[in-house]
Amino acid sequence: MAHEHGSPAPVSRLVLLSLALVVLVGAAYRPVAGNGFVDYDDPAYVTDNPHVRSGLTFETVAWAFRTGAQSNWHPLTWLSHALDCEVFGLAPSGHHLVSVGLHALNAVLLLLALHLMTGALWRSAMVAALFALHPLHVESVAWAAERKDVLSTLFWMLTLLAYARHVARPTTATRVLVPVLFALGLMAKPMLVTLPFVLLLLDFWPLRRWGGGTRWIPPFRLVSEKLPLFALAAVSSAVTFVVQQRGGAVTALDVLPFWARLTNAVVAYVTYLARTFWPAGLGVLYPLSASLPAWKVAGACAVLAAITAAVLAVARRAPYLFTGWLWYVGTLVPVIGVVQVGMQSSADRYTYVPLVGVFVMLAWGAPDLLGAWRYGRPALGSAAALAVLGASILTWRQVGYWRDSVTLFEHTLAVTADNYIVQNNLGGALTREGRLDEAITHLEEARRIRPDHAPALSNLGVALQGKGRIGEAIVLYREALKVNPSHVEAWLNLGNALGKTGDVDGAIVAFREAERLEPDEPAIGGLIRAALEVQRRQAARPSVPAKVAPEARASFERANELRDGGRLDEAAAAYREAIRIDPGFAEARNNLGSVLGRQGRAAEAVEEISKAIEIAPDLSAAHNNLAIVLAMQGDTEQAARHFAQVLRLDPRDTTAHFNLGLLLARQGKLADAIAHFEEVLRIEPGNQSASRALAEARRRAPVGTGR
């Protein structure tokens, strides 16, 4: 193999540089050990995924290879997450540290591969250091759901090493190893489809197998030897496109015309370059625009054309520029947005492999440019040291923004505009923390920016339901389903809300629809069984005592219908009529108090529900409603006492367990809160609200608290 700069370095020096890379990565990413999971893909990939959470079982392995969940076929990624759960459970630090370890290993493998192909130790080390420490790569490493980035790149780097070894000393083993490693990489993330093209670029430089050199091979031979790799890439591309279409990920094709997607792609290429040299204002999602200013598109075209022309002009004199530039441009093709997946204009994680090309251009170009200058070497050394130090500091700071969902989303909103997806995500995260007023503000903003965004409508319903405004919540769930009838979360939320209003039949219909849309989700079956049990219990006992006068009963039933339809003023009047006819009608007083509470008339609500309890001390629903109103007033001690009374009357009342758990969590009594959330999940294994509340309580609890 022809080397660019002398003989290979001693093994001891390679070992020391590799250790230095590992130490630098460990220092820059040290804060990740204290980070939690975030409410953006992490639930789907880890915390709320029953297959992954069960660890490496036979069922999980079979599921990983057959599922198209998250609009991707990447079984090795699923198995990697399952292995983490097998070893660490749901302790986020373990998951994050594994990703950091894979990232450090990728940097070391990049160093070894470049050195093997070029013989240039320090230039290879500079590329590896920039790869290891650039803040654009934080998203791929610190985000648990992006394990696919670091895992697939592990196989990318191993494939490069195997290919370099095969070129230097061809054997049957290396000939087989290259496609095997490539196939494994595709099973971790299909973005690796560009690797065969990159190998052709490496044949040009530094391997010099075409276009001149001591080991010149006809171009058609170079292509034909990679036909198995191209075949694997074609199969992976076809599978990915089908899976993403079925999963609804290729949604922007219906929204943006081809010209808009093409112009966004051109601008994205330059945007990534700008962030490479000035990595400020990095966020988890940059919103996609339906139209871009003409000057921005024209400027991006001019920049790309100028760089490409310059690279082609010096391709023979500086071949590393040709390879580096086409590496960058080519490896971004699958994610640049011509075929739009998701609603982002760009994403930092997409630069994980492509920026290696830019780093090669810098690491080889700067020494060649300054080589003749008297002070070139010390200037290069100083610049390299400053670049590594600066990148490390920026990466350390960027890792801190991934501490938790609220921190991440608030930071992203600070550096982006009109970001309805992150407004929605922040609203959902605040709802799960019980900060409902703040959540509603962000969810209303998401709705303002994008009125037809089903997740925001559904999440706004959840926040309003938490405030007791269940009628408004039901309207929002139905609005979300009108926009997207396949939105499983909205069906689940609707079923939950209908169940709480007493419409168990409607709840079962909603849960059944969710089950139809997501047949492999066992939790939904648990919800259906729980709703059927409620239905059975309701049928076993009358909702109104037999002694109640028929006129009062009729008014009560009419009031219930008005309440379920969101007509609260009319419902309150009908309940009052039932009470006028029968002042001892405890159920009517309780329901009236519940309606008054939802209208914000807390004092009147407490008065009516308290009278209901005086009349019927064992009326569980009254204790529950009174506890909710008291909790909203801030009287947590009395609220907890009434929730406890509900559980004395019915230990299987999951609503009381959940509400009491929330109350205890806000009081800082996390061990008791965890016990109640766990009891909800024991009774209703599919209760997503309890699952998320439990995960949050465990995250906040001291080590050793809960199970």
Side-chain angles (χ1 to χ4, degrees):
M1 184 183 302
H3 291 293
E4 290 290 300
H5 295 277
S7 302
V11 172
S12 59
R13 188 171 295 178
L14 279 172
V15 170
L16 287 174
L17 282 173
S18 298
L19 289 174
L21 283 173
V22 172
V23 170
L24 286 170
V25 169
Y29 282 90
R30 184 177 180 276
V32 84
N35 289 1
F37 294 112
V38 296
D39 292 327
Y40 190 23
D41 284 357
D42 282 359
Y45 274 90
V46 184
T47 57
D48 288 351
N49 189 312
H51 304 284
V52 170
R53 290 172 57 172
S54 63
L56 274 181
T57 65
F58 176 81
E59 291 78 9
T60 297
V61 173
W63 171 83
F65 278 90
R66 72 170 185 266
T67 187
Q70 296 307 297
S71 300
N72 268 306
W73 187 77
H74 43 31
L76 292 191
T77 293
W78 290 122
L79 295 179
S80 172
H81 287 302
L83 178 60
D84 280 359
C85 287
E86 184 77 33
V87 177
F88 307 110
L90 288 178
S93 58
H95 296 250
H96 290 317
L97 290 174
V98 168
S99 291
V100 172
L102 287 170
H103 177 59
L105 180 57
N106 290 339
V108 170
L109 291 173
L110 177 59
L111 165 66
L112 298 178
L114 285 175
H115 175 257
L116 180 60
M117 287 187 280
T118 67
L121 178 63
W122 292 108
R123 300 184 190 201
S124 300
M126 191 62 200
V127 173
L130 290 172
F131 171 85
L133 300 169
H134 200 284
L136 271 180
H137 291 168
V138 169
E139 184 170 290
S140 295
V141 183
W143 190 359
E146 281 307 310
R147 170 63 58 79
K148 52 184 173 285
D149 270 5
V150 291
L151 182 62
S152 64
T153 303
L154 170 67
F155 292 107
W156 174 291
M157 298 303 178
L158 288 172
T159 304
L160 291 187
L161 267 174
Y163 184 73
R165 177 57 60 190
H166 177 70
V167 170
R169 192 175 298 111
T171 65
T172 301
T174 55
R175 185 176 291 107
V176 172
L177 188 59
V178 169
V180 168
L181 290 171
F182 178 49
L184 291 173
L186 292 172
M187 292 164 68
K189 187 177 182 180
M191 188 176 168
L192 266 68
V193 292
T194 57
L195 182 52
F197 298 95
V198 168
L199 296 182
L200 284 173
L201 290 175
L202 295 174
D203 284 338
F204 175 74
W205 180 91
L207 300 178
R208 295 190 177 277
R209 301 178 73 205
W210 62 285
T214 58
R215 302 194 53 159
W216 184 82
I217 298 174
F220 75 90
R221 285 267 308 277
L222 295 176
V223 173
S224 63
E225 73 178 12
K226 297 174 182 63
L227 286 180
L229 304 182
F230 283 114
L232 287 170
V235 171
S236 177
S237 299
V239 170
T240 299
F241 187 77
V242 170
V243 170
Q244 289 182 338
Q245 275 198 318
R246 289 178 179 174
V250 193
T251 53
L253 289 173
D254 301 325
V255 179
L256 293 183
F258 175 75
W259 178 251
R261 284 180 271 126
L262 184 62
T263 55
N264 181 76
V266 171
V267 171
Y269 271 115
V270 178
T271 299
Y272 288 132
L273 286 176
R275 289 187 196 140
T276 301
F277 293 98
W278 190 257
L282 305 182
V284 69
L285 186 139
Y286 308 99
L288 181 65
S289 175
S291 62
L292 293 168
W295 66 265
K296 183 175 285 190
V297 178
C301 289
V303 169
L304 294 179
I307 296 175
T308 303
V311 164
L312 291 174
V314 298
R316 289 191 177 278
R317 191 166 67 254
Y320 51 81
L321 294 178
F322 178 86
T323 292
W325 179 243
L326 291 188
W327 177 312
Y328 169 72
V329 172
T331 54
L332 272 173
V333 166
V335 291
I336 201 60
V338 176
V339 176
Q340 185 70 39
V341 178
M343 295 303 294
Q344 69 283 333
S345 62
S346 59
D348 296 347
R349 60 189 177 276
Y350 292 160
T351 68
Y352 193 62
V353 167
L355 284 191
V356 171
V358 177
F359 298 152
V360 165
M361 295 172 75
L362 292 173
W364 264 263
D368 284 2
L369 185 66
L370 300 177
W373 185 33
R374 178 180 177 184
Y375 302 105
R377 179 167 293 187
L380 283 171
S382 300
L386 287 173
V388 169
L389 177 62
S392 300
I393 293 171
L394 291 174
T395 288
W396 184 87
R397 187 179 69 172
Q398 190 68 23
V399 170
Y401 294 131
W402 287 83
R403 182 171 66 249
D404 54 51
S405 301
V406 173
T407 303
L408 175 65
F409 298 144
E410 286 182 338
H411 169 71
T412 300
L413 290 179
V415 298
T416 61
D418 291 333
N419 199 332
Y420 67 92
I421 294 176
V422 174
Q423 291 281 6
N424 169 59
N425 291 348
L426 177 56
L430 291 168
T431 298
R432 285 181 280 278
E433 290 191 1
R435 297 159 62 180
L436 298 179
D437 291 328
E438 297 172 73
I440 290 170
T441 298
H442 288 284
L443 292 166
E444 289 283 16
E445 178 64 11
R447 189 185 187 189
R448 182 195 66 77
I449 300 168
R450 183 72 183 273
D452 63 345
H453 187 51
L457 294 170
S458 181
N459 283 341
L460 180 57
V462 173
L464 292 175
Q465 186 174 330
K467 297 281 286 184
R469 296 156 64 180
I470 197 166
E472 296 173 69
I474 289 172
V475 171
L476 284 165
Y477 299 145
R478 295 194 187 281
E479 190 178 337
L481 292 168
K482 191 178 298 182
V483 172
N484 180 9
S486 299
H487 190 49
V488 175
E489 193 78 17
W491 282 113
L492 293 173
N493 290 337
L494 177 61
N496 178 273
L498 292 173
K500 283 180 168 38
T501 65
D503 184 2
V504 181
D505 291 338
I508 292 172
V509 169
F511 291 144
R512 292 280 188 207
E513 184 62 18
E515 185 179 46
R516 184 187 69 80
L517 293 166
E518 221 169 272
D520 293 335
E521 179 51 72
I524 298 175
L527 288 172
I528 294 171
R529 288 191 296 274
L532 288 170
E533 175 62 18
V534 170
Q535 190 180 60
R536 185 191 65 76
R537 279 187 281 166
Q538 286 182 341
R541 64 176 188 267
S543 59
V544 179
K547 64 181 181 179
V548 172
E551 297 86 353
R553 181 191 299 270
S555 185
F556 177 78
E557 297 295 349
R558 184 169 67 257
N560 287 343
E561 292 177 7
L562 292 166
R563 175 201 62 189
D564 296 346
R567 298 159 63 182
L568 300 186
D569 288 334
E570 296 172 71
Y575 285 131
R576 291 189 192 278
E577 177 62 15
I579 294 167
R580 186 193 65 77
I581 297 169
D582 187 346
F585 195 169
E587 288 78 4
R589 289 188 180 276
N590 170 54
N591 286 12
L592 173 59
S594 176
V595 167
L596 292 169
R598 286 159 59 180
Q599 292 179 313
R601 299 155 67 180
E604 297 173 71
V606 169
E607 181 181 357
E608 289 295 339
I609 301 173
S610 297
K611 287 179 181 177
I613 292 173
E614 288 177 18
I615 297 167
D618 288 343
L619 185 58
S620 176
H623 286 286
N624 187 69
N625 287 336
L626 183 56
I628 291 171
V629 176
L630 291 169
M632 291 173 65
Q633 288 184 301
D635 190 348
T636 55
E637 289 188 13
Q638 287 298 317
R641 186 172 69 82
H642 284 284
F643 278 133
Q645 183 67 5
V646 173
L647 294 173
R648 184 188 68 78
L649 295 167
D650 183 3
R652 292 179 59 82
D653 190 318
T654 54
T655 300
H657 275 297
F658 180 73
N659 288 336
L660 182 54
L662 289 179
L663 199 64
L664 293 167
R666 290 172 196 166
Q667 293 175 325
K669 300 175 181 178
L670 295 172
D672 293 336
I674 288 169
H676 284 286
F677 294 141
E678 288 178 337
E679 183 64 12
V680 174
L681 292 171
R682 188 186 67 79
I683 300 167
E684 292 181 10
N687 192 309
Q688 295 190 4
S689 298
S691 178
R692 289 170 180 161
L694 176 60
E696 178 62 20
R698 284 176 171 166
R699 185 186 70 78
R700 292 170 51 202
V703 176
T705 303
R707 292 182 287 279

